Amino acid sequence: MLKKTQWLLRRRTGGRAEPDRETIDRLVSAVLENDSGQAADPADGNADDETLETLRLIRSIRQVGASDSPLPESGVDAIMGALEGEARSVPRQDAWREWLGMASGFLASSVTLGSGLLLVGGAGDVGPPGAVATPVLAAAVASLAALASVLVHRRSTLRLPILPLLVLGALVMVSCAPTPRDAAAAEVAIDLSALTTFEEGEELWGVRDVIESGEAIWALTEAAPFLRAYGRSGRLLADFGRSGQGPGELFNPWVLSAAASPREVIVWDLATRRRSRFDAGGNFVTSTPAPTTRGSIRADIRSVTFGDPFRVAEDGTGAWVASYPGGLNRGDDFWSGRLLRITHADAEPTVALDFAVDLPGAATRVPVMGLAPVPLWDGCPDGVVAVLDPIDRSLHLHGTGGTKTRSIPLPWPARPLSHEERLGYVREMMRNETRGTNMPEAEIERAAADALARAGDHLPAEAPIGIDLRCSPGRVWIQAFDGSSHPLGYGRAWSTVSLGDPEPQFQRVIFPDGFTPYRFTDTTAIGVLTDAMDLQRVAVVRLTDLAP
């Protein structure tokens, strides 16, 4: 009982003017013995506030009926209840201190919340400069606010705003954990000053491929002379390639590959099914059969749909090619394709991937006529092949034996295909069908609008996630669909996926107007610059602002 009464007395005085041990014992004895002893009289002008307050507490205890000593437990509970009631009726001293303490606690909570917002924002490109500096600074500010609260209260025992500090600690741990970059966070617009155009020699037309091989940059066109070789400074080294089917001649060349020897290039001819090698002086070196089985491919397939049915990706140990046994007549037919691996040691190709079987999105694909999302692929420098599943919206990497080594979900949100994009595609198909008939443009426009009204579900509801794919060291490039730039969506924007880290990073790169990249290296994009008259020049863009 003595300890409980002493505790009540100390709790009531709040530590602001704590009596000495002798005074506490005297007052407690007076409570237990129903005698105030030598306690001061309330009428005594020398009695201080603390003494008068204690006497009032003694009277309250007496009113409960505590006449025996020691008191029973029920009496103790009654005394504690009376003390609580009396405490509520006593005016609080220095209320401004409590209000100031509440304000400091509110400040600590606000700092914690603001720090959390900064930490969450730090995952993107716009945010604090470092993942460590920000939580340290936030913790320091919140701790200062908590310390201010303690100093204002002047308590003998530190009473910190624990909840805000715990929340801050959780935010610090979350912020320091590795997180993938926001898909929409990084966009790099390539300035025109980063573009170098090769002005030497005549302008080109109908460029089919551009590649850097050895010490030269090569361009392949659809008409003789098929090949142009340039030095890295842009100087024209050679201009050659006669049409024919004899040794050293080209009939329908479509693809270039880098040769192992410096200043040489490999040309794949679809008509003669040969793989021919030339040097930068225009000399024919040798040729070997190209074991490809493509099936029947519509002659104007590249004006009907995106996707590249003629692609060949060659590396140090072999080459990747695509086969379409059922032929290609429209975009949806790409799903019947298979990826083949051809090694230099074995001329017989092996099937590494069947699009209709091995891609997750094939099971839920809905066939459509125009602007159908098609699987895209390219070979990477290390021999791996990168494949885009446009239905599942994921990127898949396969080794030379066809084994899947990695799958990356792509976070770019789908968007609906606009009416203008659908009409633009149908209009372009009408122009292709009526080419050479001198049909007036107004009639083409009416026919396109009527065909679109009848198309219904024959056109997809969503814009394709990508229309071309290229692989460079440690990075995959996917060209974004832009129906406002071209009926088939060929625009200036490419999205990149880094492959070097366990958590891939994503960026969006905008190339200068008129530039079309064909190949990517660590530091450059190699392609052509096309003017308003469709005349082309080989061009190189420096890539200096990309994330590692």
Side-chain angles (χ1 to χ4, degrees), residues 117-312:
L117 294 176
L118 284 176
L119 295 173
V120 173
D125 282 357
V126 180
V132 177
T134 301
V136 170
L137 178 61
V141 175
S143 299
L144 289 176
L147 181 60
S149 175
V150 173
L151 293 178
V152 168
H153 279 290
R154 286 186 173 181
R155 295 189 182 276
S156 59
T157 304
L158 296 181
R159 296 184 180 180
L160 303 179
I162 299 299
L163 182 58
L165 293 181
L166 290 178
V167 174
L168 178 62
L171 290 172
V172 168
M173 290 187 291
V174 171
S175 67
C176 293
T179 55
R181 291 175 63 91
D182 184 5
E187 180 170 298
V188 178
I190 304 296
D191 191 78
L192 196 60
S193 61
L195 185 144
T196 301
T197 306
F198 294 178
E199 299 292 345
E200 191 170 327
E202 295 182 358
E203 293 174 314
L204 307 177
W205 180 79
V207 173
R208 288 180 170 176
D209 203 0
V210 181
I211 195 173
E212 181 178 14
S213 179
E215 301 175 359
I217 294 176
W218 301 78
L220 175 68
T221 62
E222 65 182 29
F226 295 105
L227 287 168
R228 307 283 176 90
Y230 299 87
R232 292 181 178 175
S233 63
R235 183 173 63 90
L236 182 63
L237 303 177
D239 183 358
F240 64 95
R242 62 181 181 270
S243 179
Q245 301 187 46
E249 295 178 335
L250 301 171
F251 193 72
N252 187 22
W254 268 99
V255 184
L256 298 176
S257 294
S261 302
R263 298 174 65 87
E264 290 187 355
V265 72
I266 297 171
V267 183
W268 293 68
D269 194 319
L270 299 181
T272 62
R273 297 182 181 271
R274 285 201 305 251
R275 177 178 171 271
S276 301
R277 193 163 83 239
F278 299 87
D279 64 22
N283 302 307
F284 169 68
V285 179
T286 186
S287 66
T288 57
T292 60
T293 306
R294 298 187 181 274
S296 175
I297 298 178
R298 178 174 172 171
D300 63 344
I301 186 66
R302 300 190 75 173
S303 65
V304 174
T305 183
F306 39 81
D308 188 356
F310 310 118
R311 176 160 299 180
V312 175

Side-chain angles (χ1 to χ4, degrees), residues 458-470:
H458 292 294
L459 288 174
E462 295 180 350
I465 188 174
I467 57 174
D468 195 9
L469 182 147
R470 292 288 182 177

Side-chain angles (χ1 to χ4, degrees), residues 365-422:
R365 177 179 62 90
V366 178
V368 293
M369 294 291 293
L371 293 178
V374 304
L376 305 172
W377 68 274
D378 193 24
C380 301
D382 57 358
V384 172
V385 63
V387 183
L388 172 66
D389 185 338
I391 305 298
D392 187 61
R393 304 181 75 84
S394 54
L395 182 68
H396 305 274
L397 305 181
H398 292 258
T400 55
T403 302
K404 184 185 296 186
T405 60
R406 190 176 182 183
S407 294
I408 302 174
L410 300 177
W412 310 315
R415 69 169 182 86
L417 196 65
S418 69
H419 174 78
E420 290 74 17
E421 290 171 331
R422 294 156 63 95

